[in-house]
Amino acid sequence: MKAATQKLTRRLAALILVRVLAVGFSTAAWAEGVPRRETPVYKVAFYAVDCYHIQDENGRRRGYGYEMMQGLSKYMQCTFDYVGYDKTPAESMEMLRSGEVDLYTAAKATDECRAEFAVSQHPAITVTTCMNIKVGNSKVVAGDYATYEGMRIGLLQSQICNDCFLQWADEKGFAYTVTYYDTPADLTNALKEDKVDAIVDSYIRTPEDELTIEYFGQTAYYILARKEDQGLIDALDAAFDAMNIDNPNWRVELYNKYHGAAGHNTEFTAEESALLAQMQQSGTTVRAAAAPDNAPYSWYADGKMQGIAVDLAQKTAETLGLTLEVVPTATRKDYNALLQSGQADLCLDLNSGEITYGDTAYQLTDTYMRTTVSLLRQRGAYERVHCLVVKEDSATVRELIAANWPEAEVTVLDSTGACAEAVKNGTADAALLMSYTAQKLARDDIQNRMRVDIVPGALVYLRNGVNVQVDRRFYGLWEKTLNGISTQYAAEIVQSYTEVMATPTVLAFLFDHPAYLILFVAVLALVGCLVLLYLQSVRSRKQQQAILLQLADALNDAEEANKAKQEFFSKMSHDIRTPLNVVLGMTQIAQKYKNDAPRLESALDSITNEGNYLLVLINSILDVNQLEHGHMELNKAPFDAVRCAADSVELLRPLADKKAQTMALHCDKPDCVVVGDVNRYSQIMINIISNAIKYTPVGGEITVQLDCLPGGRVIFRCTDTGIGMTPEFIGHITEDYVRAEDSRVSKVQGTGLGMSVVKGFTDLMGGTLDMYSHEGHGSTFVVSIPFAEADDAQRAAVLAPHKTGETTADFTGKRVLLAEDNALNAEIAVELLQSIGLKVDWAEDGQKAVEMFEKSAPGSYFAVFMDMQMPVMDGVEATRRIRASDRPDHDVPIFAMTANTFAADRKKCYDAGMSGYIPKPIDLETITHVLEEETGE
């Protein structure tokens, strides 16, 4: 950390020194003479590299590396002496070690290199690894791997990119033979002499007599100095920073100058020329798509598309003698829709990561422009990037982020404007954009709040995409012409869009002159204060009155809330204590008369009935709570609505029989298979029918009607001859804990939650609930639910014959594992499981359950019953451990046996790999049913 801080300090000091010297000498120019000072001279290794270090027979130098170093020397105020043009790179490296030169300008920053030398933070250049064939080789088609079959490939000995190529070739599955060469010259000559069909090497640009058919990635090269010359490297990095600020696109300009389109073949084939003549004669119009929000490359304004990419495409079409229509798209949605429709022949702004939109593919041309990438940030923002926004999620963008900000949280927004807004309002630390776009957004911000930081070594390669459905010859026409146009006109067109206007707006002037801005804001503030004071005096009385009314309303709300709270606890206390009193009382009676079978059986029946009522009460409270908070989820599956209604009626028929009531079910169809949540639908019917039984006198009639309509809608109707309801009560019946104030119902047991649950479930299913009642003449409840229709397969499965009567499954002697931390619950579960012939091993927590399972012989356990909440390790994690084991019986049936009954809890169980779910309180019928269903016994 200390070393990094010192390094940053040295770089800042060097950058400040560069700026101070520049300012100092510019002001001194008005004196009698131009001031002079001694400048240092540094020796630079200038070994021959095509396009990078070039020297003619007259000693004149040029190249990317030469112009880069000359540009840096201006900021460092030094002189570079270039030596060693007759040396090899290896000999030049030895010259650096021996002190014959001070700088080596293009080396890979390997760990060994960093250990021996001082390495610049900024890369000097980035080269591309690719596979090239000889120009004129018509047998091999780029991207058509069938034409790669049997190729002879040339590689350099000990080249880093070899492994990358070999892995790629094996993935593509074509056969090939490899020949290794010692030097790049030998490799190139082998291709020229047809000893190999293709070669793989790292290039700054593609040679004129070679054609690139595959790209394998990029490698950055850095500047080296001896360790003791770290200060020289720091000065170079500071000069890089200064040059990036003054001319953010210098890399692109040099790259296009020396490594641009020189290697492209621009000669049309006979077939391509024939197609062009045909298109010119018929007046063909080429349709193109361009992004509407990618200024200055392309954007939508005044009903048309404009920008760098659009102008280059228009120039290309003019050169070909064709008409180009760039289809206006005002939004990204329209732009994507145009590309997906396949109606566009061209897409003007793709990169290497985007070739397919929907079902339409676009074949990428060669790069027509390279541009740097920048971070758009607030001025003074913290350097580290935690939250990054981007405009698109492409492979290129993901690679840049992974290389530079692997831990950043990335958000994809729908436009460059949205990215800029995220930076302005602080929801993002930075926006990753192409440099020209970032610069335009920063210039357009009149408050001057943003800055642009170029990402060192990061380049985006802009390409056109040609619709794969158009004539393949058109691809060659367009790519070859575009390459020439971009070389000739790209710099001019880019400059026309990136020049800064000299005349500022009024707001821009104010932000550039803070003193005037402060004075202007102060005057506005004074006027505003006077206006506010006047308005305040006028509104003060109204505000006082409003405050008094709000206080009165708040006091009334507080009193009502307190009253509702007291009523809730009072009702809950009564509704819970009443059955609890029966349970505890009957327990004492059962203990007293344990030898009196009739009395004991009656007491146990009462305990069971009241326990079930307590369970209904708790389930109702939990259902209401989940419905109020939106946590209820529906479990949709095919079921027979007629069977569901019949089961609900038969379940409640014993209650009706006790009151000598007549209860009938009428269905318009023998069956009605739909898709929905059968348990929630059954609960709706049970709540309504049970209310009808409760509030219908002895000997009354209850009629249940089920109508199945086309489209899956099912109408449930329950009519009774009970006491009826008042119109006032009907308006509140679906509220929580509401019961009619009627002496006739005061002795009827109820929670006041049943109809609230009915209303909640009905709304959740998208249905309607209607009620009709006349006091003293009965009530009618109508529930209409729009279920989804079941298909033929679902209908057949639901209507298949079901087993009836008692189970015939035999579990005798089968061993199960029970994980339960509560001893009493474990005792109950063991007793119930043993009652159906199972042998039970008990584990007090999930960890012990996993250990017992792993120590057992494979196939020892028929099933596992797992509680969810346990100490040491819960049941969900224990299930994951068992499922992840390499035992042959890791797929043993595992059933949740838990009091966690919410839908989210069930989902956790199934996501962990559990086979079934048994809610507590457990009963023997549920256990047997689950075992039969999941184990097939």
Side-chain angles (χ1 to χ4, degrees):
M1 182 67 182
K2 183 177 180 181
T5 304
Q6 291 175 347
K7 195 169 187 178
L8 178 60
T9 303
R10 289 198 300 268
R11 289 188 62 194
L12 290 175
L15 180 57
I16 292 171
L17 177 61
V18 169
R19 290 302 187 188
V20 169
L21 289 172
V23 173
F25 288 135
S26 65
T27 55
W30 296 100
E32 292 181 351
V34 178
R36 297 168 179 257
R37 74 182 182 93
E38 293 293 327
T39 58
V41 178
Y42 302 109
K43 290 185 179 295
V44 177
F46 195 75
Y47 50 90
V49 179
D50 186 28
C51 295
Y52 193 74
H53 290 160
I54 306 172
Q55 182 173 307
D56 62 18
E57 62 274 15
N58 298 317
R60 286 191 293 266
R61 301 183 183 92
R62 60 190 179 92
Y64 179 103
Y66 174 76
E67 290 200 22
M68 174 190 68
M69 296 303 294
Q70 289 298 95
L72 293 172
S73 69
K74 300 174 185 177
Y75 295 92
M76 297 174 65
Q77 200 161 357
C78 69
T79 301
F80 290 131
D81 183 14
Y82 302 92
V83 298
Y85 193 71
D86 58 340
K87 304 295 183 181
T88 66
E91 291 171 339
S92 298
M93 186 68 75
E94 287 301 322
M95 292 172 67
L96 176 65
R97 291 189 176 97
S98 65
E100 295 178 64
V101 295
D102 302 300
L103 294 172
Y104 185 98
T105 60
K108 297 178 183 178
T110 62
D111 292 340
E112 295 80 2
C113 181
R114 291 186 182 277
E116 183 179 4
F117 298 105
V119 183
S120 65
Q121 289 194 358
H122 290 276
I125 194 170
T126 302
V127 300
T128 301
T129 300
C130 51
M131 182 165 70
N132 290 353
I133 61 175
K134 191 175 181 180
V135 170
N137 184 347
S138 60
K139 297 180 180 180
V140 179
V141 180
D144 186 359
Y145 302 117
T147 64
Y148 293 12
E149 187 70 24
M151 287 182 69
R152 300 168 298 164
I153 308 296
L155 301 177
L156 283 174
Q157 291 283 3
S158 304
Q159 185 78 331
I160 295 176
C161 62
N162 290 351
D163 291 340
C164 178
F165 162 75
L166 295 173
Q167 180 181 356
W168 172 85
D170 291 340
E171 290 176 355
K172 298 306 179 183
F174 61 87
Y176 61 93
T177 57
V178 174
T179 303
Y180 291 94
Y181 297 90
D182 294 327
T183 67
D186 294 339
L187 184 67
T188 301
N189 290 333
L191 182 64
K192 292 180 179 179
E193 297 168 4
D194 293 326
K195 294 179 180 178
V196 293
D197 301 310
I199 60 175
V200 177
D201 198 3
S202 296
Y203 293 84
I204 296 176
R205 72 161 174 85
T206 304
E208 294 182 356
D209 54 353
E210 296 178 19
L211 177 65
T212 298
I213 58 173
E214 296 292 345
Y215 292 91
F216 301 108
Q218 299 176 325
T219 304
Y221 288 81
Y222 297 79
I223 300 177
L224 305 183
R226 291 180 296 279
K227 280 288 187 178
E228 57 267 31
D229 292 333
Q230 178 64 53
L232 176 57
I233 290 297
D234 292 339
L236 275 168
D237 281 326
F240 270 120
D241 290 333
M243 192 157 68
N244 286 339
I245 293 173
D246 290 346
N247 183 12
N249 301 296
W250 67 266
R251 291 181 185 275
V252 177
E253 292 168 1
L254 286 181
Y255 202 98
N256 289 337
K257 181 176 180 180
Y258 289 102
H259 320 129
H264 295 294
N265 178 19
T266 59
E267 183 179 352
F268 296 157
T269 65
E271 293 180 346
E272 292 169 347
S273 298
L275 175 64
L276 179 59
Q278 177 185 342
M279 295 175 69
Q280 292 172 341
Q281 183 176 2
S282 62
T284 301
T285 296
V286 180
R287 288 169 56 87
D293 55 355
N294 202 22
Y297 301 96
S298 66
W299 77 94
Y300 173 86
D302 302 325
K304 63 181 182 179
M305 306 305 296
Q306 51 188 301
I308 297 171
V310 175
D311 286 2
L312 284 172
Q314 290 287 6
K315 283 279 188 184
T316 303
E318 291 173 8
T319 303
L320 288 169
L322 303 175
T323 302
L324 178 70
E325 177 192 359
V326 185
V327 181
T329 51
T331 65
R332 272 272 168 180
K333 182 179 180 181
D334 296 338
Y335 169 69
N336 290 331
L338 176 61
L339 292 177
Q340 292 172 7
S341 69
Q343 297 179 10
D345 304 310
L346 296 170
C347 179
L348 302 184
D349 42 15
L350 293 180
N351 58 50
S352 59
E354 304 170 301
I355 57 174
T356 303
Y357 285 82
D359 295 330
T360 305
Y362 293 85
Q363 185 176 6
L364 296 176
T365 66
D366 283 344
T367 300
Y368 70 84
M369 180 182 294
R370 298 170 176 86
T371 180
T372 57
V373 179
S374 296
L375 289 180
L376 182 67
R377 315 187 65 179
Q378 285 192 4
R379 293 188 180 275
Y382 181 61
E383 289 301 320
R384 187 164 184 178
V385 177
H386 296 283
C387 180
L388 185 66
V389 293
V390 297
K391 181 177 65 64
E392 60 185 26
D393 182 20
S394 67
T396 301
V397 172
R398 289 193 294 270
E399 289 175 1
L400 285 174
I401 294 173
N404 295 278
W405 311 278
E407 298 180 357
E409 178 184 346
V410 181
T411 303
V412 181
L413 301 181
D414 57 2
S415 67
T416 55
C419 292
E421 285 301 318
V423 174
K424 291 177 185 178
N425 60 35
T427 57
D429 297 324
L432 182 64
L433 303 166
M434 289 187 285
S435 293
Y436 290 149
T437 302
Q439 292 163 8
K440 185 178 187 304
L441 291 171
R443 283 201 310 269
D444 292 345
D445 179 32
I446 60 174
Q447 298 183 33
N448 200 23
R449 292 169 292 180
M450 295 186 289
R451 76 173 194 263
V452 176
D453 296 340
I454 292 179
V455 181
L459 293 176
V460 171
Y461 300 85
L462 301 182
R463 310 177 184 207
N464 282 183
V466 181
N467 193 321
V468 296
Q469 297 177 352
V470 304
D471 193 308
R472 63 177 180 80
R473 295 172 292 172
F474 177 75
Y475 176 88
L477 289 171
W478 188 263
E479 181 183 53
K480 293 174 182 178
T481 307
L482 176 63
N483 288 333
I485 292 298
S486 63
T487 302
Q488 186 174 359
Y489 295 103
E492 175 186 343
I493 293 174
V494 168
Q495 184 177 2
S496 69
Y497 281 100
T498 56
E499 289 179 339
V500 181
M501 300 301 295
T503 305
T505 63
V506 175
L507 285 177
F509 174 81
L510 290 174
F511 281 107
D512 288 339
H513 299 80
Y516 292 104
L517 177 61
I518 293 173
L519 179 61
F520 180 72
V521 171
V523 172
L524 285 180
L526 179 60
V527 174
C529 288
L530 293 176
V531 173
L532 288 175
L533 287 174
Y534 172 75
L535 294 176
Q536 185 67 23
S537 63
V538 173
R539 296 174 183 173
S540 59
R541 292 183 181 179
K542 294 182 179 180
Q543 289 179 348
Q544 291 176 358
Q545 293 175 354
I547 290 173
L548 290 174
L549 290 174
Q550 290 175 1
L551 290 173
D553 291 340
L555 179 62
N556 184 57
D557 291 342
E559 290 177 348
E560 290 183 356
N562 186 54
K563 181 180 178 182
K565 180 181 178 181
Q566 292 177 350
E567 290 178 353
F568 168 76
F569 283 115
S570 176
K571 290 180 178 180
M572 285 301 96
S573 176
H574 173 271
D575 289 342
I576 291 176
R577 287 177 180 274
T578 297
L580 190 58
N581 179 67
V582 174
V583 171
L584 296 176
M586 286 300 176
T587 301
Q588 298 179 55
I589 292 174
Q591 291 174 341
K592 181 177 180 180
Y593 295 100
K594 57 186 177 182
N595 295 324
D596 188 343
R599 296 289 295 273
L600 178 61
E601 183 177 357
S602 175
L604 292 177
D605 287 343
S606 298
I607 291 173
T608 300
N609 291 335
E610 295 305 313
N612 288 333
Y613 173 73
L614 274 173
L615 180 60
V616 170
L617 174 61
I618 293 172
N619 286 338
S620 297
I621 295 172
L622 294 177
D623 287 341
V624 169
N625 179 69
Q626 289 191 80
L627 288 167
E628 288 179 349
H629 292 84
H631 296 160
M632 181 67 70
E633 297 181 6
L634 297 176
N635 180 24
K636 296 182 180 180
F639 71 96
D640 183 2
V642 173
R643 184 184 299 162
C644 179
D647 291 344
S648 301
V649 169
E650 293 305 316
L651 179 67
L652 298 172
R653 189 175 296 281
L655 299 178
D657 291 342
K658 287 183 179 180
K659 299 179 68 174
Q661 296 169 342
T662 301
M663 185 162 58
L665 170 63
H666 302 285
C667 302
D668 64 339
K669 294 181 179 180
D671 58 69
C672 179
V673 180
V674 293
V675 179
D677 193 325
V678 62
N679 293 325
R680 303 304 182 193
Y681 189 52
S682 175
Q683 193 169 347
I684 290 174
M685 291 190 286
I686 289 173
N687 285 5
I688 292 176
I689 297 172
S690 63
N691 277 349
I693 295 172
K694 290 178 185 177
Y695 302 116
T696 298
V698 173
E701 296 181 0
I702 300 170
T703 303
V704 178
Q705 175 72 34
L706 194 74
D707 296 323
C708 302
L709 305 182
R713 181 173 290 276
V714 179
I715 299 177
F716 164 77
R717 182 181 286 101
C718 180
T719 303
D720 63 59
T721 58
I723 62 176
M725 300 177 287
T726 63
E728 293 77 15
F729 180 68
I730 291 177
H732 298 279
I733 190 174
T734 58
E735 297 175 5
D736 297 344
Y737 311 111
V738 171
R739 298 183 69 191
E741 299 296 332
D742 192 323
S743 59
R744 294 173 295 174
V745 302
S746 59
K747 295 183 179 181
V748 176
Q749 190 180 48
T751 64
L753 295 173
M755 292 308 299
S756 174
V757 172
V758 168
K759 175 63 174 173
F761 286 166
T762 301
D763 291 344
L764 191 62
M765 295 180 183
T768 58
L769 170 64
D770 296 304
M771 294 161 282
Y772 310 94
S773 182
H774 296 284
E775 193 171 8
H777 297 282
S779 304
T780 297
F781 292 82
V782 181
V783 177
S784 177
I785 304 293
F787 292 111
E789 285 188 288
D791 56 34
D792 293 340
Q794 292 172 326
R795 177 180 172 83
V798 170
L799 298 180
H802 289 261
K803 297 179 180 180
T804 58
E806 296 185 357
T807 178
T808 59
D810 184 10
F811 303 114
T812 302
K814 297 183 183 296
R815 183 171 298 278
V816 297
L817 177 61
L818 171 67
E820 171 63 66
D821 61 317
N822 185 285
L824 291 177
N825 284 340
E827 181 180 353
I828 294 171
V830 168
E831 183 64 30
L832 291 177
L833 293 172
Q834 289 178 345
S835 69
I836 57 174
L838 293 171
K839 295 180 180 180
V840 184
D841 291 339
W842 173 37
E844 293 86 349
D845 56 60
Q847 180 65 46
K848 292 183 179 179
V850 173
E851 292 174 355
M852 292 173 65
F853 178 79
E854 291 177 345
K855 292 179 181 178
S856 66
S860 298
Y861 289 115
F862 171 65
V864 179
F865 295 91
M866 191 77 70
D867 189 15
M868 284 187 68
Q869 293 186 5
M870 293 183 290
V872 184
M873 181 186 294
D874 60 37
V876 173
E877 180 59 27
T879 300
R880 292 195 186 103
R881 297 283 183 88
I882 293 175
R883 293 298 188 222
S885 68
D886 55 1
R887 290 168 56 99
D889 58 346
H890 69 277
D891 58 348
V892 60
I894 303 177
F895 304 102
M897 185 177 285
T898 176
N900 295 6
T901 59
F902 289 165
D905 298 319
R906 293 175 182 250
K907 186 175 184 301
K908 286 181 181 178
C909 293
Y910 287 121
D911 289 347
M914 293 191 186
S915 310
Y917 188 90
I918 302 173
K920 293 179 180 178
I922 60 176
D923 61 78
L924 191 58
E925 183 179 352
T926 302
I927 294 173
T928 304
H929 174 72
V930 169
L931 282 173
E932 290 178 345
E933 187 175 80
E934 298 297 333
T935 64
E937 291 292 328

